[in-house]
C-alpha cells in the first residue's frame, strides 16, 4: 500500500514548480502593463497571473492521492487549467508592442508551456494512452470547448426536433440529416462595427510590433558596432592581461603552466572576473576543477541563469515608463545587454589567442619538442557539408503546410464511452494536438525543449493517406526546422560500405545539431527493422542504418533540438521489440470519423476553388465516404474541381452526385485493416499496459510491469 501512495502522491518535483511560482510572483510586478498599454492586454495579463498563482499554490499544497483514477483527474484538471492560462499569456504576449518587454514576457510563457508538457507526460504514464478526453472536466469548470457556436446551434436544433415530435409531425431520415447538417454549419452574421474596430486595432498593433521590432533590430546592430569600436579593444586588453597574470602566478605556485579550461567548461570565464585587487584569487585550474564535480558546475551554471533572469525582472520592476508613451525600446538597457554579449564574444576570441600563447610558453620554457609535423588536414566547413547533403537529397525543403491544415474535428464526448466501458476512438484533432505537444512546442523553443520531458524519436503509424508525411512537413514549417530524409529508399546506394555509412550519418547529425532545430524523417520506418527482408528489397539493404542510427540516437542530449520522426503503414512486418526500443513515442492515427470527414470535405472544396451551397449535400457525401482517408478525399476533390468546372461554379453549383463516381474508384480502409493496426498497437509496451488497465486488471502493472523484452522501457522511455 505504501508503494501505491508513493506512486500517486506527487505530480512533479517541487523544485521546478517553485521556480515557476517564483518567476510568476516577480514578473507580476515588472511586467505590469502601463497606462499606455491596451486594455485587453492589461486584463489578460492580470487574469493570467492571478490564475497561475492560484494553480501553483494549489499544486504545492496538494495532499497525496491513493487512487490512480482520482490522480488522473487531478492531472487532467491541471492540464486544462494550464492550457487556459497559456492561451491568455499567449494573447497578452501577442498584443504587447514593447520589444524588450516581449522578450522577458516570453520566459513566463515558455515556463507554462514546459509545465503543460510535464503534465502530458504524467498523464500518459498514468493512463497508459497518448490520447486523453477532458470534455467532462471542461464542463465541470464551465469552460467553452472548441467550436462551441456549432454545439449551441445543434442544441437549438435538437430542441426544435423535440417540439416537432411533440406535435406528432414525422420527417424522413434524409430531412433529419439535413436539419442536423444545417445546425453543424450555421450561417454566422456579418461582423459588427465594434468587432471590425477590434480587428483593425489588433492589425494596427501587429504593424506597430513589426515597426518597433525592426527599429529595435536596427538599433541593436548600430549599438553593437559602436560598442565594438569604442570598448572592444579595451576589453580584449584587460582580459589578456588578467590571463597572463594567471599564467605567471600558477607557474610560481606549482612550477608549471596550467591547462587552459575547455570551452564547454566556460573557458577563461572560470579563471578571471571583474574583482577588486583585494578579492582576486588566482587559483590553478587543476586545483579549482578538482574541488568541483560535474553536478556542482551545472548548479553554478543554473544559478547564473537564474540570477540573470532575476536581474532582468528587477530592471522592469523598478523601471519608470511614464515618459515612454509609445512603448519603444530602452536604449540604455539595450547598451547594457549588448555589452554582456560582446564581452562573451570577445572572451571566446581571446581564449583562442591565449591558448596558442600558452602552448608556445610551454614549448619555450619546458623545452618540449613538437615531434613530427602533422600532415595537411582537409577542413570541412558547414557550408560544404550543407551543399553535400542537399546534392545527395538527404537535406530537403519542407512542403509549405501548417499544422492547422491537418483538418479534424474535436472529440466532444470522449469520456462518455469510457464511462460505459468502451475504449473511445481518437479524432484527427487529437492527433494534431499530440504532434503539437511532442514535436512543435519542444522544437520551436529551446527553453521549452530543456524543460519538457525529452522525446528523441516519434513513430507515426497509420494507413496510406492519413497525413503522416504531411505532419512531418508541418512540424518543420511550424518550427523552422531543417528536414533530413534518411528513409531506406532515399539512402539506398549512397555512401556505400561501412565507412561511407558512418560518414553519411556523421554529416547528417553534425549539420542537424549545428543548424537545429532539425527533423530526421525516416519514411517506411518498418523496413529498418524487417523481420524478413523481401527478396525484391535485399539489394536495397533497408536495414543498413539500424545499428549505427540506434547508437547515434543514444547520443542525442537534452540540449539537442533534434527529433527523429518515422512513418509507417505496415508496422506488422517489423520486429516489434526493436521498433519500440528505437521510438520513444508511437502515435496510432485512426480512421477519420464523421465530424472530421465533414470538416475535411468542406474545407477541401473551398480551398480548391469550389463553393459550398445548399445544393451540395455534405452530409450525404460524408456518409458515403466512410473509410476514406484524407488523402483519398484530396484526390477526389481535385478530380472533380478541374479548372473548367471551377469556372462554371457561379452558374452551376456543385452537387454531391458529382463526387460519387470518383469516390467509387477509391479503395477505402476497411474495418479489419483498422483492427489489425489496433491489435498491433496493443502489443507495444504502452498498448499492453493500457489493455491491462482497461480490461479491469489491477493498476499495479505500472509498478510491476510484465516482462516486455527489449521493447519495455522505464518511465519516459528515454
Amino acid at each position: 500500500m505504501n508503494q501505491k501512495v508513493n506512486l500517486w502522491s506527487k505530480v512533479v518535483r517541487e523544485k521546478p514548480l517553485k521556480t515557476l511560482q517564483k518567476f510568476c510572483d516577480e514578473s507580476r510586478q515588472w511586467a505590469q502593463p502601463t497606462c499606455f498599454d491596451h486594455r485587453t492586454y492589461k486584463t489578460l495579463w492580470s487574469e493570467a497571473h492571478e490564475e497561475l498563482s492560484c494553480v501553483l499554490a494549489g499544486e504545492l499544497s496538494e495532499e497525496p492521492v491513493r487512487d490512480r483514477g482520482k490522480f488522473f483527474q487531478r492531472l487532467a484538471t491541471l492540464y486544462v487549467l494550464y492550457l487556459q492560462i497559456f492561451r491568455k499569456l499567449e494573447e497578452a504576449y501577442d498584443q504587447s508592442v514593447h520589444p524588450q518587454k516581449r522578450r522577458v514576457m516570453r520566459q513566463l510563457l515558455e515556463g507554462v508551456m514546459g509545465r503543460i508538457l510535464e503534465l502530458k507526460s504524467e498523464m500518459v504514464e498514468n493512463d497508459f494512452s497518448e490520447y486523453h478526453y477532458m470534455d467532462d472536466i471542461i464542463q465541470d469548470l464551465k469552460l467553452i470547448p472548441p467550436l462551441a457556436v456549432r454545439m449551441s446551434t445543434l442544441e437549438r436544433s435538437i430542441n426544435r426536433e423535440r417540439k416537432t415530435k411533440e406535435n406528432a409531425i414525422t420527417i424522413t431520415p434524409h430531412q433529419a440529416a439535413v436539419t442536423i447538417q444545417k445546425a453543424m454549419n450555421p450561417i454566422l452574421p456579418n461582423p459588427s462595427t465594434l468587432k471590425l474596430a477590434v480587428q483593425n486595432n489588433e492589425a494596427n498593433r501587429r504593424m506597430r510590433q513589426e515597426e518597433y521590432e525592426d527599429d529595435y533590430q536596427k538599433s541593436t546592430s548600430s549599438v553593437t558596432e559602436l560598442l565594438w569600436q569604442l570598448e572592444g579593444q579595451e576589453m580584449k586588453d584587460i582580459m589578456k592581461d588578467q590571463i597572463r597574470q594567471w599564467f605567471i602566478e600558477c607557474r610560481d605556485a606549482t612550477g608549471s603552466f596550467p591547462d587552459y579550461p575547455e570551452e564547454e567548461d566556460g573557458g577563461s570565464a572560470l579563471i578571471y572576473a571583474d574583482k577588486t585587487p583585494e578579492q582576486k584569487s588566482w587559483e590553478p585550474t587543476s586545483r579549482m576543477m578538482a574541488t568541483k564535480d560535474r553536478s556542482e558546475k551545472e548548479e553554478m551554471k543554473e544559478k547564473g541563469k537564474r540570477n540573470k533572469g532575476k536581474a532582468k525582472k528587477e530592471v522592469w520592476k523598478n523601471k519608470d515608463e511614464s515618459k515612454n508613451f509609445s512603448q519603444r525600446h530602452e536604449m540604455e538597457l539595450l547598451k547594457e545587454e549588448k555589452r554582456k554579449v560582446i564581452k562573451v564574444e570577445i572572451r571566446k576570441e581571446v581564449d583562442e589567442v591565449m591558448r596558442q600563447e600558452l602552448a608556445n610558453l610551454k614549448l619555450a620554457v619546458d623545452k618540449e619538442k613538437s615531434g613530427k609535423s602533422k600532415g595537411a588536414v582537409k577542413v570541412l566547413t558547414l557550408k560544404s557539408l550543407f551543399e553535400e547533403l542537399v546534392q545527395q537529397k538527404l537535406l530537403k525543403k519542407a512542403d509549405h503546410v501548417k499544422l492547422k491544415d491537418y483538418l479534424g474535428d474535436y472529440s466532444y464526448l470522449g469520456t462518455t464511452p469510457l464511462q460505459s466501458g468502451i475504449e473511445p476512438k481518437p479524432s484527427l484533432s487529437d492527433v494534431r494536438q499530440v504532434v503539437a505537444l511532442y514535436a512543435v512546442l519542444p522544437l520551436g523553443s529551446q527553453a521549452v525543449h530543456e524543460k519538457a520531458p525529452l522525446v528523441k524519436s516519434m513513430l507515426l503509424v497509420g494507413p496510406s493517406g492519413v497525413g503522416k508525411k504531411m505532419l512531418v512537413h508541418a512540424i518543420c514549417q511550424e518550427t523552422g526546422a531543417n528536414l533530413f530524409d534518411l528513409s531506406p529508399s532515399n539512402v539506398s546506394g549512397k555512401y556505400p560500405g561501412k565507412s561511407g555509412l558512418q560518414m553519411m550519418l556523421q554529416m547528417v547529425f553534425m549539420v542537424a545539431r549545428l543548424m537545429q532545430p532539425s527533423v530526421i524523417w525516416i519514411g517506411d520506418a518498418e523496413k529498418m527493422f524487417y523481420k524478413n527482408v523481401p527478396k525484391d528489397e535485399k539489394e536495397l539493404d533497408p536495414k543498413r542504418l539500424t545499428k549505427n542510427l540506434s547508437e547515434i540516437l543514444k547520443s542525442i542530449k537534452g540540449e539537442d533540438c533534434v527529433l527523429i520522426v518515422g512513418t509507417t503503414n505496415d508496422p506488422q512486418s517489423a520486429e516489434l521489440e526493436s521498433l519500440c526500443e528505437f521510438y520513444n513515442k508511437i502515435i496510432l492515427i485512426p480512421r477519420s470519423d464523421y465530424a472530421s470527414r465533414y470538416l475535411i470535405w468542406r474545407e477541401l472544396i473551398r480551398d480548391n476553388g469550389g463553393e459550398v451551397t445548399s445544393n451540395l449535400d455534405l452530409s450525404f457525401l460524408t456518409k458515403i465516404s466512410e473509410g476514406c482517408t484524407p488523402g483519398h478525399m484530396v484526390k477526389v476533390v481535385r478530380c472533380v474541381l478541374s479548372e473548367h468546372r471551377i469556372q462554371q461554379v457561379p452558374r452551376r453549383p456543385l452537387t454531391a452526385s458529382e463526387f460519387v463516381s470518383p469516390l467509387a474508384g477509391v479503395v477505402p480502409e476497411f474495418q479489419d485493416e483498422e483492427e489489425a493496426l489496433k491489435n498491433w498497437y496493443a502489443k507495444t509496451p504502452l498498448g499492453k499496459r493500457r489493455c491491462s488497465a482497461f480490461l479491469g486488471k489491477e493498476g499495479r502493472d505500472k509498478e510491476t510491469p510484465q516482462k516486455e523484452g527489449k521493447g519495455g522501457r522505464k518511465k519516459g522511455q528515454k
Side-chain angles (χ1 to χ4, degrees), residues 483-494:
L483 178 61
F484 298 85
D485 186 358
L486 289 184
S487 304
S489 58
N490 190 48
V491 301
S492 177
K494 298 174 182 177

Side-chain angles (χ1 to χ4, degrees), residues 696-716:
K697 293 184 179 181
E698 292 184 358
R700 298 176 183 175
D701 288 353
K702 187 174 181 181
E703 296 97 324
T704 56
Q706 296 178 357
K707 186 177 180 181
E708 296 175 348
K710 295 181 180 179
R713 292 181 298 282
K714 298 294 183 183
K715 181 178 179 181

Side-chain angles (χ1 to χ4, degrees), residues 437-679:
L437 291 172
Y438 291 152
V440 175
L441 290 185
L443 289 180
S445 168
Q446 179 69 34
V448 175
H449 190 275
E450 293 175 357
K451 292 179 176 69
L454 180 60
V455 176
K456 298 182 180 181
S457 55
M458 179 173 66
L459 180 65
L460 302 177
V461 180
S464 299
V466 295
K468 301 184 294 296
K469 183 178 177 181
M470 177 183 178
L471 286 171
V472 174
H473 287 267
I475 293 170
C476 295
Q477 283 292 338
E478 294 287 356
T479 61
N482 297 288
L483 178 61
F484 298 85
D485 186 358
L486 289 184
S487 304
S489 58
N490 190 48
V491 301
S492 177
K494 298 174 182 177
Y495 301 96
K498 185 176 181 180
S499 59
L501 175 63
Q502 291 176 344
M503 183 178 71
M504 178 184 69
L505 292 178
Q506 287 176 358
M507 282 196 301
V508 167
F509 279 87
M510 181 185 298
V511 176
R513 285 189 172 100
L514 292 174
M515 299 181 63
Q516 56 183 274
S518 298
V519 171
I520 314 293
W521 174 44
I522 304 177
D524 297 325
E526 77 282 353
K527 294 185 177 182
M528 276 182 53
F529 304 96
Y530 263 146
K531 297 175 184 176
N532 298 299
V533 179
K535 292 182 179 180
D536 56 345
E537 295 187 29
K538 285 187 176 180
E539 292 184 0
L540 302 178
D541 195 11
K543 301 178 69 173
R544 67 189 293 246
L545 292 177
T546 306
K547 182 179 179 180
N548 297 76
L549 198 57
S550 298
E551 293 175 354
I552 292 179
L553 177 66
K554 297 176 183 178
S555 68
I556 296 179
K557 306 299 181 183
E559 61 271 17
D560 299 326
C561 280
V562 178
L563 178 67
I564 298 178
V565 182
T567 57
T568 178
N569 57 6
D570 183 25
Q572 298 95 326
S573 62
E575 295 178 355
L576 181 62
E577 292 184 357
S578 301
L579 191 71
C580 294
E581 188 175 7
F582 186 83
Y583 290 101
N584 300 145
K585 294 291 182 180
I586 299 178
I587 310 301
L588 182 61
I589 304 178
R591 292 198 306 171
S592 54
D593 54 14
Y594 180 92
S596 293
R597 291 200 308 278
Y598 179 91
L599 186 65
I600 294 170
W601 278 122
R602 186 184 67 187
E603 297 305 317
L604 282 178
I605 291 171
R606 289 175 177 174
D607 292 344
N608 285 272
E611 185 178 348
V612 179
T613 65
S614 57
N615 296 287
L616 179 57
D617 190 350
L618 281 184
S619 295
F620 171 73
L621 192 57
T622 303
K623 184 64 177 176
I624 65 173
S625 60
E626 184 175 4
C628 291
T629 64
H632 294 146
M633 298 161 73
V634 169
K635 292 179 180 178
V636 170
V637 170
R638 290 177 179 173
C639 177
V640 173
L641 291 176
S642 61
E643 185 176 348
H644 178 67
R645 183 65 182 92
I646 292 174
Q647 294 174 353
Q648 295 178 333
V649 167
R651 303 188 306 272
R652 185 164 64 91
L654 291 169
T655 62
S657 59
E658 297 180 67
F659 295 84
V660 174
S661 180
L663 270 175
V666 170
V667 180
E669 181 198 2
F670 296 104
Q671 186 70 27
D672 57 348
E673 294 175 318
E674 184 180 30
E675 290 299 323
L677 287 176
K678 286 183 179 179
N679 292 335

Side-chain angles (χ1 to χ4, degrees), residues 343-360:
K343 192 171 182 179
V344 172
E345 293 177 356
I346 289 177
R347 196 263 305 162
K348 292 181 179 179
E349 291 185 9
V350 170
D351 281 357
E352 292 183 7
V353 175
M354 299 309 292
R355 279 194 182 93
Q356 186 60 46
E357 186 172 317
L358 178 61
N360 293 336

Side-chain angles (χ1 to χ4, degrees), residues 144-156 182-189 412:
I144 301 175
L147 307 176
V149 175
R150 286 168 53 177
M151 294 303 292
S152 60
T153 310
L154 180 59
E155 184 178 355
R156 289 196 296 270
K182 288 180 179 179
M184 294 293 288
N185 187 25
I187 301 176
L188 299 177
Y412 294 97

